[in-house]
Amino acid sequence: MRRVERSLLFCILAAVCLLLSGCTGAGKKEEGSTEQAPQEQAGLVIGFSQLGSESAWRLGNTASMERAAKEHGISLVVDNGMQKQENQIAAIRSFIAYRVDVIVFAPIVEDGWTNVLQEAKDAGIPVIMMDRVINIKDSDLYTAYIGPDHYLEGVKAAKYLQKKAEELMADGREKIRIAELSGTEGSSPMISRYQGFHDLIDRDDRFEVLETVSGDFLRSKGRECMQNLLKKYPDQIDVLYSHNDAMTLGAIEVMEENGIRPGEDIVIISVDGEQAAIDLLKEGRINCVVECSPMLGDAVMDLAERIVSGKDYSRVSHPDEVCFTEYDDLSGLEPRGY
Ligand code: GZL
């Protein structure tokens, strides 16, 4: 289907969804209020360009947005870009054509957004960038960013490993050799988790990074990359630093198929904090899980309401995130929800 047909279909679908859901834009009446206040009382319509459904993190993020929209009485039109930037750009253009109140997007990669964001700005539609960031000269082309600090996540991973290093070096080894599974090429989490980690590790002469390979944040590619790394560096890998839990789960499958004890023969550091990874951390098959929370929905809806109603808001906000390690008591940890 040609892009223009997809956009037209999209607008029609969006309109039908809103009619069926009874979202006529009639404002919520506050208890006892007779007047309908201006814009901020009307049911907002938000167009949300989600980048895909590649991991439990992403599915959790989408669910968080849908749950929060419902709780806020906001009509959320979700488009799944299926890992393709061109799909996201087409969806944003549809949101502009449909004249939504706010556009939210999770940019799959950092580059290539200037034109479509200029079109949104020309249409007077505020844009919230969520989860990932973009590389853009004119930062006025988006209204606010809400999401993790990926650089700090890389730093946390490195600090855990520097603490673990004392124990590893005790057996007299020369170097601690690291294999790295990175995320989607050109995406801000991949770039920043790499940089945060290497800014510490590359300056510490106890470590040697054998190779960094991209597993695209996918479990299947995490498996494939780990197979190749074990072939290329037999019995040489001491540590795996993986940019997300999905790839880590794939890598652990391969390790165990090859008789390698994850968390013991190879120290494993992972990022996200999905339930499956926390369970493996509790079992000692992962050593460190750096939290990256997908539960951004509530904060995004609050931010959208503040922007539309002209209230003050933070242009950049990060959720508080922790680092779970083998040294922590995790018995009281709440279920992760993703
Ligand atoms: C991080 C997010 C990443 C997750 C992956 O904020 O963009 O994308 O770490 C997901 O699990 O695919």
Side-chain angles (χ1 to χ4, degrees), residues 220-293:
S220 54
K221 285 198 76 176
R223 264 192 70 87
E224 190 186 311
C225 292
M226 197 66 224
Q227 263 153 355
N228 297 337
L229 286 165
L230 288 175
K231 275 199 199 89
K232 194 169 175 182
Y233 305 101
D235 300 324
Q236 299 169 42
I237 300 174
D238 301 312
V239 177
L240 172 68
Y241 169 45
S242 168
H243 290 195
N244 88 324
D245 295 341
M247 295 188 295
T248 305
L249 296 174
I252 287 176
E253 282 170 5
V254 168
M255 287 181 199
E256 293 182 325
E257 285 161 11
N258 285 276
I260 295 169
R261 297 170 300 169
E264 294 177 59
D265 300 330
I266 294 182
V267 171
I268 298 180
I269 304 166
S270 189
V271 187
D272 274 351
E274 68 176 79
Q275 192 61 54
I278 295 295
D279 293 345
L280 290 172
L281 175 61
K282 289 178 177 176
E283 293 167 19
R285 290 154 73 197
I286 290 181
N287 304 81
C288 170
V289 177
V290 180
E291 183 185 33
C292 173
S293 176

Side-chain angles (χ1 to χ4, degrees), residues 54-55 57-58 131-132 148 150 189 193 217 243-244 272 292:
E54 74 286 357
S55 61
W57 191 100
R58 187 65 51 199
D131 170 30
R132 297 186 182 178
H150 300 119
R193 283 173 185 164
F217 287 134
H243 290 195
N244 88 324
D272 274 351
C292 173

